[in-house]
Amino acid sequence: MSTEASSSRRHAASPSRSLGKPRVAPLVIAPIESRIVQRTILDVLSALPFVRSIHRKSYNFGGVLDGGVAKAIERAYCAGVKHAYYVRTDIKDFFTQVPRQKLLSQIADQTGDAEFNQLLEDATTIELSNLAELKQHGDIFPLAERGVAQGSCLSPLLCNLFMHGMDELLNTAPFEAVRYIDDVIIFGPNRSQVRKALKMLKEQLALHGLDAYEPPARGERRTGPAKAGEGETSRGFSFLGCDVSREAIRPGAKARTSLIDKVRKLYAAGVASQRHLKIVSGETFSAKEDPTLLYTMWRVSNTTRAWGGAFSFCTDMRVFRHLDEELNGEYATFRELVKKQKRLKGLSRADEQRLVGMQLLEDVDFDPSFKSLVSSRAGTRRVPLSNGQSTNGAAKRHPRKHSRGVSTSNFDGTPSSDLQDDKRRPAPRKGATLLSVRGNEAPGS
């Protein structure tokens, strides 16, 4: 292990780039080399006996091999049927406040490999190359002893090690809890009991400088995002983007709205595309900013497919049929806007094909050196050949005469077999073309 560790260390501490978001969060995407090293470290840690024993527990379903949203919802649904009351909460600023150094010390005691432990510490230490630009947000990024980065495959493991003791506490009778990283839902026989469990969780978190959201008091109007809630399980509950009741499991309203918004943005980018103009002018363009119509529909289809796959465990088909109707309406609007744009812009047939995403031969990236070669020789006078002689002095072969008096030859200049060609390629009907105009149009033109 030590040899691999020493050869990989230079990758683990590679500078990372942060994603700018309206709400600044410690979401960091590491270079590919660093991600490979982090994944290898994760595989090694996952094989440790004490880590395997934690992962075998069915309290947490995030960041574990045999987990996932579907299994978390399944466990929550069964607990909701069994218990009368629930309280749901979210741990505040979880990733930025996890006591990373303490957790690394616990792991170091288990591995007994100093070089590997140093590699692990390097891999979990975040270096921001643009920290000077983000100085005003420096307090939320994990650069000291606390916090881990969202986006790193090692972060869920450290979070689960930290929460393991609390998971066991919250799954002691009469409580039952389900956790997905920092989302927690606790079930119990009544409001008093689940409130007691929430208080226990908050007290344990406070020992490490963390806290969890409180559900709004009865009668209090919610003003911010739904970070916490409580109620009778018979009336249903929301968890991990789903609305769960005893009758059905549905995608939540926020998730449904998010899908429609994403599809609208993709269609809007397709309508506003200037790809056809930039191809002709030679300007640079990107598939994302100036997509073809085919690429736009491909992205919409993939987005819809991925969203449907994420909620494929849901049971209320009425919701999905209603969403299909909404998406069909967005597609119809897109087609109408495309037709309107074509009329307003007065696009030529060639520009229409470019916008759709069809390759034109005149847009091929031709080799300019051959054009220069031909241009330089275009005015050169050739020596006339003697009658009946070819350039190499051999007797020149004349192509056969067609029965109608027309000489024929192949594209490369060699004579063709007239009669066979006539049999293979009958004369086209009057008004017919090689490709019909209708067959060359893109869908929706």
Side-chain angles (χ1 to χ4, degrees), residues 260 263 267 322-334:
I260 299 299
V263 168
Y267 279 143
H322 178 71
L323 281 172
D324 278 337
E325 291 177 3
E326 287 194 65
L327 292 172
N328 187 48
E330 296 296 332
Y331 174 62
T333 301
F334 168 67

Side-chain angles (χ1 to χ4, degrees), residues 1 41 44-54 101-118 120 157-158 161 164:
M1 184 191 303
I41 294 173
V44 173
L45 292 176
S46 298
L48 296 175
F50 91 106
V51 174
R52 287 205 308 267
S53 66
I54 291 174
Q101 205 59 47
K102 291 182 180 178
L103 295 170
L104 293 178
S105 298
Q106 292 179 19
I107 294 174
D109 294 338
Q110 298 290 328
T111 62
D113 188 325
E115 194 169 7
F116 176 80
N117 294 335
Q118 183 61 51
L120 173 60
L157 173 65
L158 295 178
L161 292 178
H164 177 60

Side-chain angles (χ1 to χ4, degrees), residues 197-241:
L198 178 60
K199 183 181 178 181
M200 291 165 51
L201 173 63
K202 289 171 68 69
E203 289 174 350
Q204 290 295 313
L205 290 172
L207 296 176
H208 303 278
L210 287 93
D211 195 11
Y213 288 93
E214 279 275 356
R218 288 181 175 177
E220 180 182 348
R221 188 173 182 179
R222 191 187 306 277
T223 56
K227 294 288 187 179
E230 64 177 333
E232 298 174 359
T233 56
S234 60
R235 302 178 64 178
F237 56 88
S238 297
F239 188 51
L240 300 179

Side-chain angles (χ1 to χ4, degrees), residues 293 335 338-339 342 349 352 356 438 440-445:
L293 302 185
R335 291 188 60 176
V338 169
K339 290 180 180 179
K342 288 181 180 179
R349 178 68 66 180
E352 283 188 26
V356 167
R438 176 60 58 186
N440 220 14
E441 289 180 353
S445 7

Side-chain angles (χ1 to χ4, degrees), residues 37-235:
V37 173
Q38 290 170 0
R39 186 71 209 187
T40 304
I41 294 173
L42 178 62
D43 291 341
V44 173
L45 292 176
S46 298
L48 296 175
F50 91 106
V51 174
R52 287 205 308 267
S53 66
I54 291 174
H55 283 179
R56 279 197 295 266
K57 305 288 185 180
S58 58
Y59 309 140
N60 165 67
F61 294 87
V64 294
L65 184 62
D66 192 28
V69 173
K71 292 192 175 182
I73 293 295
E74 179 184 7
R75 174 72 183 272
Y77 176 84
C78 294
V81 172
K82 180 179 176 182
H83 299 279
Y85 211 86
Y86 78 92
V87 62
R88 174 180 49 81
T89 187
D90 189 291
I91 302 174
K92 296 180 181 180
D93 302 322
F94 188 42
F95 284 91
T96 61
Q97 297 302 318
V98 169
R100 185 180 73 252
Q101 205 59 47
K102 291 182 180 178
L103 295 170
L104 293 178
S105 298
Q106 292 179 19
I107 294 174
D109 294 338
Q110 298 290 328
T111 62
D113 188 325
E115 194 169 7
F116 176 80
N117 294 335
Q118 183 61 51
L119 177 61
L120 173 60
E121 184 164 351
D122 291 344
T124 55
T125 300
I126 307 306
E127 297 179 0
L128 294 174
S129 57
N130 61 338
L131 182 61
E133 301 174 17
L134 298 171
K135 188 174 292 183
Q136 68 272 29
H137 304 299
D139 58 326
I140 74 166
F141 286 98
L143 299 174
E145 295 183 352
R146 299 179 66 82
V148 292
Q150 280 182 265
S152 169
C153 64
L154 294 171
S155 297
L157 173 65
L158 295 178
C159 292
N160 290 335
L161 292 178
F162 171 69
M163 289 295 298
H164 177 60
M166 296 179 223
D167 287 338
E168 291 191 321
L169 180 66
L170 295 176
N171 281 276
T172 304
F175 313 124
E176 187 174 354
V178 181
R179 182 174 63 85
Y180 194 95
I181 308 295
D182 57 349
D183 291 292
V184 183
I185 187 166
I186 307 170
F187 299 90
N190 52 53
R191 183 175 185 269
S192 175
Q193 290 290 342
V194 295
R195 276 286 186 170
K196 179 181 177 181
L198 178 60
K199 183 181 178 181
M200 291 165 51
L201 173 63
K202 289 171 68 69
E203 289 174 350
Q204 290 295 313
L205 290 172
L207 296 176
H208 303 278
L210 287 93
D211 195 11
Y213 288 93
E214 279 275 356
R218 288 181 175 177
E220 180 182 348
R221 188 173 182 179
R222 191 187 306 277
T223 56
K227 294 288 187 179
E230 64 177 333
E232 298 174 359
T233 56
S234 60
R235 302 178 64 178

